[in-house]
Amino acid sequence: AQTVTQSQPEMSVQEAETVTLSCTYDTSENNYYLFWYKQPPSRQMILVIRQEAYKQQNATENRFSVNFQKAAKSFSLKISDSQLGDTAMYFCAFMKRNTGTASKLTFGTGTRLQVTL
Amino acid sequence: DVKVTQSSRYLVKRTGEKVFLECVQDMDHENMFWYRQDPGLGLRLIYFSYDVKMKEKGDIPEGYSVSREKKERFSLILESASTNQTSMYLCASGESYEQFFGPGTRLTVL
């Protein structure tokens, strides 16, 4: 079974600064995906970024980037130039690469990020 | 645009009631999922379905059942609601590695 650990329950960052959210995972699988999801106060869960384990290059999406360390089983999210709209709960998630039946997500416990003026 | 809708944003029920939570997707996805979200526990998978009438248990299926009679609709059923089922329930649908989430239903069982 897979486990995902987010050790920072809450974080705060000032607007325009950079913040890094940590995530570690444990798996015996070799082919998998890792995700960061954002859940703002409106509750709609939104995908922020996805990393495929077989790709060495770290994924980036505009101000969001990851530091994927496969050997260390670490997957951190860096948010640059933080904006007030980045205030949300952030979840790290793991998915085994699957063929056949549906692929399931395993989530961490979340990090609540507050962006302040 | 991708759309997953859930029948209620907020729901209050009494202990022992039978509760139905409905989820509808308009993307013709094969796979649909029900998660439960609790503070400090993240999201946990209750049940999922990979085709009409096909279902599999997730990590915490006890006290729940599901129904998928049509491809676009996936229902979560609490046969006899209990106070420990007070939670946020999120539905998702997707293909391959993608999952799209609904807005969630906050259920309170009194």
Side-chain angles (χ1 to χ4, degrees):
Chain A
Q2 286 69 230
T3 58
V4 178
T5 302
Q6 293 179 252
S7 58
Q8 304 152 315
E10 294 185 357
M11 293 191 74
S12 181
V13 63
Q14 285 194 317
E15 201 177 20
E17 297 294 308
T18 295
V19 63
T20 299
L21 308 185
S22 301
C23 173
T24 58
Y25 60 95
D26 191 25
T27 185
S28 58
E29 301 291 333
N30 199 41
N31 291 318
Y32 51 87
Y33 301 98
L34 293 163
F35 305 84
W36 279 98
Y37 281 90
K38 169 184 176 181
Q39 187 181 42
S42 65
R43 303 201 315 235
Q44 189 80 41
M45 191 81 78
I46 305 161
L47 177 66
V48 174
I49 201 163
R50 180 185 72 248
Q51 175 78 42
E52 293 159 49
Y54 67 87
K55 288 188 177 178
Q56 290 189 343
Q57 188 172 5
N58 289 324
T60 61
E61 286 287 341
N62 301 312
R63 297 183 294 107
F64 298 87
S65 62
V66 298
N67 183 3
F68 174 49
Q69 303 287 331
K70 191 173 184 180
K73 294 181 182 170
S74 170
F75 183 61
S76 61
L77 174 70
K78 186 170 84 171
I79 306 174
S80 304
D81 186 25
S82 297
Q83 299 175 1
L84 294 177
D86 296 332
T87 292
M89 182 74 92
Y90 287 82
F91 290 98
C92 180
F94 172 100
M95 178 189 282
K96 186 174 105 173
R97 194 168 179 173
N98 217 0
T99 55
T101 58
S103 296
K104 298 173 283 183
L105 283 165
T106 300
F107 286 87
T109 53
T111 297
R112 186 173 300 280
L113 178 67
Q114 181 73 46
V115 180
T116 59
L117 291 169
Chain B
D1 220 9
V2 163
K3 200 159 186 183
V4 179
T5 56
Q6 295 183 228
S7 49
S8 306
R9 293 277 282 179
Y10 298 93
L11 206 54
V12 180
K13 295 291 181 181
R14 298 227 173 256
T15 303
E17 278 192 79
K18 189 168 186 175
V19 181
F20 292 86
L21 302 183
E22 305 282 342
C23 176
V24 177
Q25 51 101 356
D26 65 356
M27 296 160 286
D28 202 36
H29 287 153
E30 299 289 337
N31 307 319
M32 296 187 75
F33 307 82
W34 275 106
Y35 295 91
R36 170 179 172 154
Q37 181 178 359
D38 298 289
L41 296 177
L43 280 76
R44 294 175 291 166
L45 182 64
I46 305 171
Y47 265 98
F48 67 100
S49 169
Y50 51 90
D51 201 350
V52 175
K53 297 190 188 293
M54 306 303 287
K55 60 188 179 187
E56 276 196 35
K57 293 180 181 178
D59 300 318
I60 51 163
E62 297 79 19
Y64 303 95
S65 62
V66 291
S67 172
R68 194 165 180 202
E69 296 296 319
K70 293 185 178 180
K71 191 175 186 180
E72 68 270 18
R73 189 179 297 270
F74 191 36
S75 303
L76 180 69
I77 304 158
L78 288 65
E79 294 289 342
S80 177
S82 64
T83 55
N84 63 13
Q85 292 178 309
T86 290
S87 187
M88 172 78 76
Y89 291 88
L90 291 170
C91 174
S93 75
E95 300 287 351
S96 183
Y97 53 73
E98 291 190 297
Q99 287 192 23
F100 300 92
F101 286 82
T105 295
R106 184 170 295 283
L107 172 67
T108 301
V109 182
L110 302 174

